[in-house]
Every structure is written in structure tokens, then in C-alpha cells.
Amino acid sequence: MTSEPSPRRGVIALIPDACTSCMLCVKECPTWCIELDSHPEQIEELGARPRTVNVLDDFRIDYGLCMYCGICIEVCPFDALEWKPDFNYPASTRSGLSQDTQQLARWLAESASDS
Amino acid sequence: MITEQEVVSVAPTAWVETCASFAERGLGVVDWLTAIDRESELDALDVVVCLVNPGSGDCVIVTCRVDANSPRVDSLALMFRGAEWHERETAEMFGVEFTGRESTEPLLLRSADRTPLRKSSPLEARVETPWPGADSDSGRRRRKLPPGVRVEWITDDQ
Ligand code: SF4
Ligand code: SF4
């Protein structure tokens, strides 16, 4: 163990399978930097009435706007967002700072193997 | 360490006098001064000042409540030089008039007819920017406005 503080609040990663597209994080984010697309799908299971679930199409966080307040992580009822230590994700264009579902999920995996 | 601070609420008529008596007891420096918009509950503004004793670090918060439609209170700037800049800022941002001092010229804005930190002041960017949290057009739920945005700010062409 070192006494160095770990850069734990480097990035916010998404667990896409845990996200129910409930929009709570999108609504609560003070800088409006989360965007989410989803569509409803009918699920039919044997012995149960068909039910509708929202299927996540795209989840984006614009790290050019994010102020790393962590509110999105706090409000998520499904623990689908997590702090991860990665901090090195520059871009040469403004729009390049906006990260999509795949990248957000990749951070989750990369960090898990690092630690 | 954050400790509970003493808060003293006084009438606007006792504002200067109360602060002067704290100054006599050593709390003679204005740490900060601002206002809080209580509009929604009370149609009032609270003017707030934090006085400190720079030697001991002791501090006290003094507040007075003024009418939101004509917010006016005597200036502390003659007694506390440190209040000068904060009163200018509070005048500019909240529209509070500080009487008995030289004019409170705006620090940032070119015109004095806007008071951006009042809750009634339209958040133009929030009206113009599409809110990512708006419910999709499924019609299941009524359209909800983004936090802090008032229905009267929305014009028909939006
Ligand atoms: S950390 Fe704060 S600013 Fe960044 S996405 Fe989450 S809620 Fe928005
Ligand atoms: S709050 Fe959690 S579950 Fe809801 S949309 Fe955001 S990440 Fe997904």
C-alpha cells in the first residue's frame, strides 16, 4: 500500500446491462451532459403476462461538460454507474469528448482488470 | 473543520447598528456578503453578511430580510471597507439597493436592468437548449420542464 491518493474519480463508467433507461441520471445531471436513447420492447415469458421494458440504445456522457459531481451515480437506483480511475481520455475535437455506451462500458472492464 | 455558526437575524433598520456592535467585539472584518432569494416562499430577500475576527477566527452571520419588490438596506461599506466589493456584487446580481454609499457600479454586466441571481431571472440557455431529460414523445407522461425553468419563460415558438 502506498499513501498516494488513488485517482478514483477519473471517469464514470456504465454497466449497460444494469441500466433500465429510467432517465433519472439524465434528469438530475446539473450540466445536462448525459444523453440516453431507448425503445420499449415487449417481453413474453411462459406463464406470465407480456410486459414492456425499455431497451437501452445509446448512452452518452459528454466529458466536455461533466463536472464530476457524482450525482448521476448517487441517483441511479440500479447501480449502473460507477466511478473508475481512468483519467486519460483527451480528444482533439469538442465532440470527441462525448463518450458512448461502448466506451463507457470498456472503462468498466479495463479498470476491473487493472485493479 | 466545519462548525455550526451563530446566525443573528435582525430587522433592516438594525442592520448597521448590529454589525457595528459585533465589530466593537472584535468581529470587525467582512468575510463575505451576499443575498438569498426567498421569493417563492416569502416574496423577500435575505441580505447576509459573515463577520470575522481575523485574530481568533471567530465569526458570526448576520441576516436581514428585505422586500423582494424594493430590496433596500443601509450600506456597511462606510464602516467595513471589505463590504464595498460584495455590496456591488449583491446589487448587481440580486438588485439590492445599498443606501448611504457611493454608487454600486456593475462588475460584470453592461446594463443594470438584469438581476441574474434572482430566481425570477430567466435562464435563457436552459430555455433554448433541448433538455436531454425531457420525456420522449410517447405521450405516456406529461411534458415536464427542466428544473429551475418556469413555464412563463417558454414562448410559443419553442
Ligand atoms: S458527474 Fe455530475 S455532471 Fe458528470 S455526468 Fe454525472 S451528474 Fe452529470
Ligand atoms: S439512473 Fe441508472 S438505470 Fe436510470 S438511466 Fe441512469 S444509469 Fe440507467
Side-chain angles (χ1 to χ4, degrees):
Chain A
M1 287 279 283
T2 68
S3 58
E4 290 279 303
S6 70
R8 284 176 39 89
R9 289 196 165 203
V11 77
I12 292 156
L14 173 77
I15 308 164
D17 289 344
C19 175
T20 62
S21 313
C22 72
M23 298 284 285
L24 272 180
C25 56
V26 183
K27 288 180 194 292
E28 294 299 324
C29 171
T31 66
W32 297 10
C33 71
I34 308 177
E35 283 188 27
L36 187 157
D37 283 325
S38 66
H39 68 273
E41 238 171 53
Q42 283 268 328
I43 306 254
E44 295 190 29
E45 279 162 7
L46 209 63
R49 268 193 295 174
R51 59 199 172 91
T52 312
V53 295
N54 281 324
V55 177
L56 183 68
D57 295 322
D58 192 22
F59 190 107
R60 306 189 68 88
I61 299 181
D62 186 342
Y63 283 104
L65 288 175
C66 175
M67 59 179 182
Y68 302 88
C69 63
I71 288 173
C72 51
I73 298 174
E74 296 267 322
V75 299
C76 177
F78 305 98
D79 293 340
L81 293 166
E82 267 180 28
W83 283 118
K84 286 292 167 189
D86 307 64
F87 59 90
N88 195 7
Y89 40 95
S92 53
T93 60
R94 173 68 184 78
S95 58
L97 291 166
S98 181
Q99 306 292 352
D100 63 6
T101 322
Q102 283 75 33
Q103 181 56 55
L104 294 172
R106 207 173 296 136
W107 269 315
L108 196 79
E110 277 174 14
S111 309
S113 60
D114 286 350
S115 57
Chain B
M1 198 175 70
I2 298 169
T3 51
E4 195 81 6
Q5 273 172 332
E6 193 187 346
V7 179
V8 180
S9 305
V10 299
T13 45
W15 175 244
V16 175
E17 173 195 329
T18 307
C19 293
S21 75
F22 279 115
E24 276 165 28
R25 285 183 264 161
L27 297 141
V29 171
V30 167
D31 190 4
W32 49 263
L33 181 149
T34 187
I36 301 171
D37 190 347
R38 303 282 189 196
E39 190 200 42
S40 51
E41 313 130 56
L42 301 158
D43 218 14
L45 293 175
D46 286 347
V47 182
V48 190
V49 67
C50 178
L51 301 173
V52 292
N53 178 333
S56 66
D58 289 344
C59 60
V60 64
I61 289 177
V62 187
T63 80
C64 75
R65 186 154 289 170
V66 294
D67 181 10
N69 300 310
S70 59
R72 189 178 296 127
V73 70
D74 283 339
S75 169
L76 297 178
L78 294 176
M79 185 180 311
F80 304 88
R81 293 307 304 273
E84 155 88 16
W85 190 89
H86 295 285
E87 286 186 353
R88 274 177 72 187
E89 189 186 44
T90 307
E92 177 176 21
M93 295 294 155
F94 292 90
V96 176
E97 187 189 333
F98 293 94
T99 49
R101 57 162 286 164
E102 61 185 78
S103 74
T104 45
E105 258 191 70
L107 293 156
L108 294 171
L109 305 170
R110 278 161 200 275
S111 82
D113 59 357
R114 298 183 57 221
T115 47
L117 290 187
R118 290 280 282 271
K119 287 176 187 165
S120 55
S121 182
L123 303 166
E124 282 141 22
R126 296 243 138 166
V127 173
E128 280 158 24
T129 313
W131 184 35
D135 288 320
S136 58
D137 49 11
S138 63
R140 261 187 309 134
R141 284 166 287 188
R142 293 253 315 275
R143 180 161 173 259
K144 212 177 125 227
L145 288 172
V149 173
R150 296 184 180 187
V151 69
E152 60 266 28
W153 299 344
I154 314 277
T155 52
D156 285 341
D157 51 314
Q158 263 134 12

